[in-house]
Amino acid sequence: MARENAGDLTFSEQYNGPDPLLDAARTHSHEFGIAPVSQTTARTLTLLARLLTPVAAVEVGTGVGTSTLSLLRGMPTAGILTSIDTNSTTQSAARDLVDMAGIRPGRLRLMSGRAEEVLKRLAPSAYDMVFIDVEPGSLERMIQPSLRLLDAQGLLVIHKTLLKGAVADPVDRSPRTQAARSMLNRIAEQEHLERVLLPIGEGLLLLQKTR
C-alpha cells in the first residue's frame, strides 16, 4: 500500500473515532483471534443503515459484535437484526456488547450454524439489508442466498473485498487474494446487479438488484 494511502487510512480511523464501547470490543475480538471491522467501516455501516432504515436485516459473521452493534445503531428502533455465526461463544459476547449499549434485546436475533444452511431457512424477499463478513474463500457461495433474501430495494454489503491492498497488488497470488479477485470478477459479469466497490477498511462491496 502506498505511503500516502496508508496515511489517509490512519487519519480516517482517528477522525472517525474513538468509540470506547467498540474499541473495547475490538480488543476482546483479538483475544478470540477474530479481526473486527475498522472504526471507519463501523461508522459506514451505521450510516448505511440509517439511510436505508431497514426494518429487517441479516448479518453473516457475528464475531464479538462490532459490526452487529454498528448496524443496530443505524437501524430504526423497531428494526430487528438476524446475526449468523458458527461460534456461540463469541455470539454471547456480542449479546453482552449490545446489552451494554442499551439496545433492547429483542432487536437482535442470534442464529448459530453454517451460514449457507441458515440463509436457506430465512424468508425470501423479506429483508432490507444483508451484511456479509466472512473469509474470501467462503464469500462467493454466500452471495446468491443473500440476494434471495433482499426485497426490491434491498442492499447487500460485503466486507473483505480488497484485503488492505492485496487484491490490487498483481504480485499477490495467495489463495485468499485469488478468491477475492475471482468473486469480484464474477460479480462484474452480472448485469442484473448495480455495484460499487469502496476502499473502506478491508474493502466494502455494495450490491443492489436491478431486476
Side-chain angles (χ1 to χ4, degrees):
M1 181 183 297
R3 185 173 60 183
E4 59 271 21
N5 290 344
D8 287 346
L9 291 175
T10 300
F11 184 85
S12 297
E13 285 292 289
Q14 294 171 346
Y15 185 83
N16 292 324
D19 186 315
L21 198 53
L22 284 183
D23 290 343
R26 285 191 185 87
T27 300
H28 196 34
S29 183
H30 290 303
E31 294 171 0
F32 283 99
I34 299 171
V37 297
S38 70
Q39 181 63 32
T40 304
T41 302
R43 290 294 181 95
T44 302
L45 291 175
T46 299
L47 181 58
L48 286 172
R50 190 167 291 136
L51 293 170
L52 195 63
T53 63
V55 174
V58 174
E59 174 186 47
V60 179
T62 312
V64 302
T66 51
S67 54
T68 310
L69 178 56
S70 300
L71 290 165
L72 284 168
R73 280 174 166 174
M75 293 171 66
T77 55
I80 296 174
L81 175 64
T82 298
S83 189
I84 305 166
D85 206 300
T86 57
N87 191 328
S88 57
T89 302
T90 58
Q91 282 193 320
S92 294
R95 171 69 73 187
D96 291 341
L97 178 66
V98 170
D99 289 343
M100 283 188 288
I103 292 173
R104 181 169 53 84
R107 293 188 56 206
L108 175 61
R109 179 173 66 152
L110 294 171
M111 300 185 73
S112 181
R114 294 179 66 243
E116 300 97 312
E117 299 304 318
V118 177
L119 289 171
K120 292 177 184 176
R121 302 204 303 267
L122 301 180
S125 305
Y127 296 87
D128 310 295
M129 185 177 184
V130 177
F131 174 62
I132 305 177
D133 185 11
V134 299
E135 278 300 298
S138 303
L139 272 177
E140 197 158 357
R141 61 177 180 267
M142 308 282 181
I143 293 174
Q144 291 306 322
S146 297
L147 289 171
R148 165 187 165 274
L149 301 181
L150 292 171
D151 60 22
Q153 302 301 317
L155 184 69
L156 174 58
V157 183
I158 305 174
H159 189 222
K160 293 179 183 170
T161 48
L162 290 173
L163 303 178
K164 296 182 179 178
V167 171
D169 182 0
V171 177
D172 193 326
R173 309 291 291 178
S174 68
R176 189 170 184 256
T177 303
Q178 292 280 60
R181 285 195 191 111
S182 296
M183 184 273 296
L184 288 172
N185 289 336
R186 275 188 270 274
I187 288 292
E189 295 170 355
Q190 298 189 38
E191 296 180 355
H192 67 287
L193 291 176
E194 187 74 32
R195 68 183 189 277
V196 60
L197 181 59
L198 302 174
I200 295 172
E202 292 196 56
L204 287 178
L205 178 63
L206 277 55
L207 299 176
Q208 192 172 51
K209 294 181 287 189
T210 57
R211 65 172 186 270

